[in-house]
Amino acid sequence: MKKLIFLLLCTISWPSLAERWFDVEVIVFKRNQNPDSVQENWPDTQPNINLSNAVSVFDSATLSAKGLQVLPKSNWQLNAEYNRLANHAGFKPLLHTAWRQNDGSKNAMPKLRFTAGKNFGDAYYTDGTPKNIALNADNAYDSNEKQSGSMYELDGFIRVYVQHYLFIETDLVLREPGERKVLQDVSEVPAPLSNQPITDIETVSADGSVANLPAEADTFAGLQKLERTYAVEKYLKPYAFEQKRRMRSGEIHYLDHPLMGLIIQVTRVE
C-alpha cells in the first residue's frame, strides 16, 4: 500500500515538474519629441550596461545552442500594435522580434542583446563626444585617446525569466544627438564692494560659435569670487531605460518611459 501511494504521488507531481515553454514577443519604440521638453534630469555619462554573457537576439545559432528559438514572423501576434505605432506621427518603432524559451530562472536565462536604429559610431566616440572635435588639456583638438565603436540608437538587453512568477528585466539605453555644458575654466576675480547679489554673464565659445551663458560664482568674505566658464559642445546624450516587471502569461504588458516604451507579450506554449 505504501509503495502504491508513493507511485501515485510521483505520477501527480510529474506534470508540475515538466518544463514549460513560452513565446515572447517584444516591440520597442521611441517617442518623437525633443528630450529637452521633458522635465527630467538626465545624466550625461554613457551608462555602464553589464552585457556579460549576453547573446544577440539576432544570433539564431547561439540562441539555439542555449535552448532558445527565434520565431518566424508568421508566429508574431503583435503586428496590429506595431502597425498602429508605425502609422502614428508621435512614435517610431525601433524593434519588433519574438522568440521561444523555457521557464528558466534568472541565473539560467541569458540576457538577450538588442541593438536597433541608427548607428552613431561614425560620428561619435564611445564616450558620447563627437569625433574630430575632442579638446585636450591645452584646448587643442585631439582624438588620440578616444575609443571608437558601435553606438546604436537603441542598445542593451532584455531578460525574461521565471521566479515563482514571470518577470521581465530591461537595461536599455536610447541615444539622441544633443548638447551638454562642459566646464572650461575656474578663475578668481575681485568681488564687488557691495552687498548686492552678484550676477555674472560669461561669453563662451562652442564649436567656433559664441554663446552667452550664466557663470556660477562663489563669494568668500566679500573679497573674491570664483567664476566658472562653460562651453557648450555637441554630445550623444544617453537616456537609460532600466526596469523590472512582474507579468502574467497571455497578457500584453506595457513598460513606460518619458522618451520610449516597450510592449511585451509572453504566451505559454501548450
Side-chain angles (χ1 to χ4, degrees), residues 229-267:
T229 304
Y230 295 85
V232 176
E233 70 173 14
K234 294 181 179 180
Y235 185 70
L236 189 62
K237 294 184 70 69
Y239 304 97
F241 184 15
E242 188 174 357
Q243 293 192 23
K244 178 181 177 181
R245 175 78 63 85
R246 174 182 161 182
M247 302 180 294
R248 291 179 180 271
S249 63
E251 296 181 355
I252 298 177
H253 293 264
Y254 170 56
L255 279 66
D256 195 17
H257 183 276
L259 299 177
M260 57 191 300
L262 184 148
I263 300 173
I264 182 171
Q265 183 180 43
V266 182
T267 307

Side-chain angles (χ1 to χ4, degrees), residues 9 16 23 38 70 92 159 161-162 168 175 180 194 202 217 247 251 264:
L9 290 174
S16 62
D23 287 348
V38 180
V70 178
K92 175 187 175 183
R159 176 162 49 189
Y161 60 92
V162 176
I168 178 176
R175 296 186 175 100
R180 67 174 178 176
S194 172
E202 293 289 337
M247 302 180 294
E251 296 181 355
I264 182 171

Side-chain angles (χ1 to χ4, degrees), residues 159-179:
R159 176 162 49 189
V160 176
Y161 60 92
V162 176
Q163 190 172 332
H164 300 298
Y165 301 97
L166 267 171
F167 285 93
I168 178 176
E169 173 190 11
T170 72
D171 195 351
L172 302 167
V173 60
L174 177 71
R175 296 186 175 100
E176 293 279 355
E179 295 179 338

Side-chain angles (χ1 to χ4, degrees), residues 140-159:
Y141 292 110
D142 183 13
S143 60
N144 293 331
E145 297 183 358
K146 297 290 183 178
Q147 295 183 353
S148 295
S150 297
M151 295 286 285
Y152 283 96
E153 189 174 359
L154 175 70
D155 200 353
F157 73 85
I158 292 175
R159 176 162 49 189

